[in-house]
Amino acid sequence: AEAVEWADRAIALINTGADDPTSSALPAALVNKGSALLDMIGHFDEGANLLVEAIDVAVERGDVLSALRGSNNLLQGVLVRWPPDRVWSLVQRARGLSQRFGWQDWSVEELGAAYQSEVVGDLLAAIDVLERTLRDPLGDRPSKRAWLLGERTWLAVEAGEPAASAMF
């Protein structure tokens, strides 16, 4: 709730001034608010809708970081709630943005393949994709490796292999 209040204050300040249409302040505030709402009981749909709007505003302003942050946060929330085709559309959009703006850390094919496998309930395929990616030199960047290990651990638990999760 406190994060939503701070985001609302930021949005109000942005809206009272002459907001530069290329500024990343509004998209960042919208992403922060939408992300916080996703985690608040009874506000999931409001947060998801706001993140969709935030991604659109970020793209419009050329703020790829906010667009990708919003996409990532939204994906984490909707992965098991939205229909697979809608989730896959969001994955494809995020990958397209990352490729268009040169943010390769966010665009590996394996990311999309892992999410797609999770969405359709093929945990073994998702695990395989993540394990292959962990062996790939591109998976050695610290931020990417942390995400890959976290996803792999989560999938080990989901697959009923809690002991395997200790390896990651």
Side-chain angles (χ1 to χ4, degrees), residues 84-99:
D85 59 335
R86 190 168 179 201
V87 173
W88 186 239
S89 176
L90 181 59
V91 169
Q92 291 293 92
R93 183 174 189 201
R95 287 170 61 199
L97 285 169
S98 65
Q99 290 167 350

Side-chain angles (χ1 to χ4, degrees), residues 1 3 14-17 24 26-28 30 50 56 64 71 73 91 93-94 99 119 129 131 144 146 150 165:
I14 292 163
N15 289 335
T16 60
S24 62
L26 181 60
L30 293 172
L50 186 55
D56 290 341
V64 68
S71 297
N73 296 353
V91 169
R93 183 174 189 201
Q99 290 167 350
V119 167
V129 166
E131 286 181 350
K144 183 176 289 181
S165 69

Side-chain angles (χ1 to χ4, degrees), residues 14 27 41 47 53 65 88 92 103 118 129-130 141 154 161:
I14 292 163
I41 295 172
E53 176 188 339
L65 179 59
W88 186 239
Q92 291 293 92
W103 286 59
E118 288 178 54
V129 166
L130 291 170
R141 286 184 285 258
W154 179 77
E161 305 169 354

Side-chain angles (χ1 to χ4, degrees), residues 32-49:
N32 291 341
K33 181 177 180 178
S35 299
L37 286 168
L38 277 181
D39 290 335
M40 292 177 63
I41 295 172
H43 294 277
F44 180 85
D45 289 337
E46 180 184 359
N49 291 334

